[in-house]
Amino acid sequence: MAITTATAPYPVTVGNMYFGDLTLGDILKVEYARNVGISFIQTVQKIPGSGKITDIKSRITGIDVTLASSRLPKSIVRKYRGQTVSTNKGFSAVNENDTFVSFAFGFTVKNSDQTSAFHWLPNCTMTENNSSYDTAPPEGANDPVQDTKISAIPDSDSGDALITYDQSEVVAGKVPLTEEAFFAQVIKSMTDSIIDSETDVTPGT
């Protein structure tokens, strides 16, 4: 059997973020991402037998997302942190009884081979949103960073917690989906209509 050498593109930069309203279906694109971290939460059970480990069972129970951005629109923070907002929008209040509103979070990653990877987490809550305010230096300006933590759990119907689409992995002869097509609506399941909806490459192109 022949041995082949594997190659793979590497991530170059994080791209746009997307926030999906699960009630209205609205999608909001935000361009200020600086870092997105994904950490899987899982339970692991080792099954013993005859003095040894005979099997290992694991289950994904959620995903912790850490997000660093230069800024997030206040409308996003107010909405998904459950803040009360006045009629004229100028006032908002953080209250001990605020209820976090579920939403979908998505983001893009640009690869070294000019392709991109797209991600949807369809069932999220914004558990933290922290800011600090500094004195501006005598020359130049501050480098603002806003830290946000998002908790994602599996979709209640499909059980899917993260849907990823990698353009670099699409089979030859198919046109990879664009960022606009992937984020046109929240993808909640591997049975959604967009799955495997790529079109054939036109001969001669």
Side-chain angles (χ1 to χ4, degrees), residues 34 67-72 74 128-137 141-148:
R34 299 178 60 152
L67 168 63
S69 58
S70 56
R71 57 195 179 278
L72 281 182
K74 285 186 171 58
E128 290 187 29
N129 179 255
N130 303 312
S131 299
S132 61
Y133 307 97
D134 302 318
T135 299
N142 285 326
D143 186 19
V145 177
Q146 191 170 2
D147 294 319
T148 303

Side-chain angles (χ1 to χ4, degrees), residues 25-79:
D26 297 335
I27 309 291
L28 185 62
K29 180 173 76 172
V30 180
E31 299 179 333
Y32 308 128
R34 299 178 60 152
N35 175 272
V36 177
I38 297 288
S39 178
F40 292 95
I41 305 168
Q42 65 185 65
T43 59
V44 178
Q45 181 182 7
K46 297 180 180 180
I47 311 297
S50 301
K52 61 182 180 180
I53 301 300
T54 60
D55 199 3
I56 297 178
K57 301 291 186 181
S58 64
R59 178 172 175 265
I60 299 295
T61 59
I63 300 173
D64 285 335
V65 181
T66 56
L67 168 63
S69 58
S70 56
R71 57 195 179 278
L72 281 182
K74 285 186 171 58
S75 60
I76 290 178
V77 177
R78 287 173 164 184
K79 181 176 184 177

